[in-house]
Amino acid sequence: MTIAEAVKASTDFLARKDVPSPRVDAEHLVAHALGITRLDLYLQYDRPLTAEETATCRELVRRRGTREPLAYILGEWGFRRLMLKVDSRGLIPRPETEVVVERCLALLDGGEAPVVLDVGTGTGAIALAIADERPDAMLTAIDVSEDTLALAAENAERTELAGRVSFALHDVTDGLPGGPYDLVVSNPPYVEPDDLDALQPEVRDWEPEQALVGHGVTEEIARAAPDVLRTNGALVLEVAEGTAQVVADLLAQLGFTDVVATPDLAGRDRVVEGRWTP
């Protein structure tokens, strides 16, 4: 079997399993199995695979056919300028969360040595991206899961940002720790329990439910943020599709000003922010 034949067979198999983007996923998996880039696939299309390479490809493609997320199979996923380790301890970083980081950086622009709290850090994506792109920022990242915090700490080491972010175990039902902060940011669990079954199998069956499903967590964070924000500090929240106006109204009721919603790459209002100016 050549590389070209392996990619085609893998694509056909994944398509039969109703995997989204079967061709792209097949290319990722075959390249990963061979230890080469996707570009190298096209440069070596006629190269025959060894028996060992064929077996490795088949196993990775089989796993994807069970709807195991591509990122978990690859073991890493890109987020802004970083390549992060991903596994079942944390949610896979998503493009809409890059918009969260963009808004954070914009709100911090002009300040010196900003102090930032990342609530529900997961893989550490938000905190580490801010640390990477704002070297003067001082960051604290909290999560309710020890396993998830361990993953975030591993990513801090992997990205050589370990000295820039401090990690702490904390439950938002106890309020928010420390402060005062120039910015509080969170991508909290916002899938309603009744909506879990409607999610794609990759999300519903594989990603950690504790990080996905949460009722009222966004409101808890919004209500707790004023206690730890400096005057003129900012709150940035990633929110569920269709809820941006509700969250924006909540921030306004709590006394936040300059409340705005920012759309994600698909044009859906996904990020809500506000300034704390009591």
Side-chain angles (χ1 to χ4, degrees):
M1 178 180 290
T2 64
I3 287 178
E5 291 167 339
V7 170
K8 183 181 185 307
S10 300
T11 300
D12 293 345
F13 175 80
L14 295 179
R16 291 195 299 272
K17 296 295 184 178
D18 295 323
V19 171
S21 305
R23 172 74 181 199
V24 172
D25 284 18
E27 290 178 353
H28 274 293
L29 293 168
V30 173
H32 185 69
L34 301 181
I36 61 177
T37 68
R38 286 174 65 197
L39 175 60
D40 287 333
L41 291 178
Y42 291 94
L43 299 176
Q44 304 178 34
Y45 240 30
D46 295 328
R47 176 172 79 77
L49 274 61
T50 66
E52 182 178 358
E53 289 173 335
T54 300
T56 301
C57 285
R58 285 175 174 162
E59 173 57 17
L60 297 184
V61 173
R62 181 200 66 76
R63 289 171 60 187
R64 186 69 184 101
T66 68
R67 304 300 290 272
E68 181 177 354
L70 176 65
Y72 285 171
I73 298 172
L74 299 179
E76 62 182 15
W77 203 246
F79 184 79
R80 292 185 71 84
R81 304 192 311 194
L82 305 175
M83 184 61 71
L84 302 174
K85 177 179 180 178
V86 290
D87 59 36
S88 59
R89 292 175 291 175
L91 294 183
I92 299 163
R94 289 164 165 79
E96 51 264 34
T97 307
E98 296 198 15
V99 179
V100 173
V101 175
E102 288 176 5
R103 292 310 308 148
C104 290
L105 294 171
L107 290 164
L108 294 174
D109 190 38
E112 293 183 4
V115 183
V116 179
L117 176 67
D118 177 22
V119 181
T121 195
T123 60
I126 292 174
L128 294 171
I130 294 173
D132 177 52
E133 297 179 50
R134 274 298 301 260
D136 62 330
M138 295 174 284
L139 291 114
T140 299
I142 62 173
D143 204 283
V144 72
S145 166
E146 290 185 358
D147 287 344
T148 303
L149 281 174
L151 174 60
E154 290 168 23
N155 275 322
E157 293 285 349
R158 177 189 179 107
T159 56
E160 299 183 350
L161 293 165
R164 301 282 316 288
V165 182
S166 61
F167 298 98
L169 187 69
H170 188 85
D171 191 328
V172 297
T173 58
D174 297 325
L176 297 177
Y181 299 103
D182 297 290
L183 175 75
V184 173
V185 57
S186 183
N187 175 17
Y190 51 65
V191 175
E192 292 292 333
D194 291 344
D195 295 334
L196 183 62
D197 288 344
L199 298 178
Q200 288 284 340
E202 286 87 346
V203 179
R204 181 191 65 226
D205 300 336
W206 293 90
E207 297 196 72
E209 185 173 329
Q210 185 180 45
L212 282 170
V213 180
H215 181 71
V217 180
T218 299
E219 181 175 348
E220 286 183 340
I221 295 168
R223 292 188 180 280
D227 293 334
V228 298
L229 279 171
R230 299 185 195 277
T231 297
N232 207 40
L235 173 65
V236 180
L237 298 166
E238 182 173 325
V239 300
E241 183 178 353
T243 67
Q245 189 58 56
V246 173
V247 176
D249 290 344
L250 171 63
L251 294 195
Q253 292 166 11
L254 292 173
F256 286 87
T257 60
D258 300 327
V259 177
V260 295
T262 301
D264 61 16
L265 300 176
R268 301 166 295 196
D269 284 342
R270 182 69 77 170
V271 183
V272 178
E273 66 188 62
R275 287 279 186 186
W276 180 243
T277 53

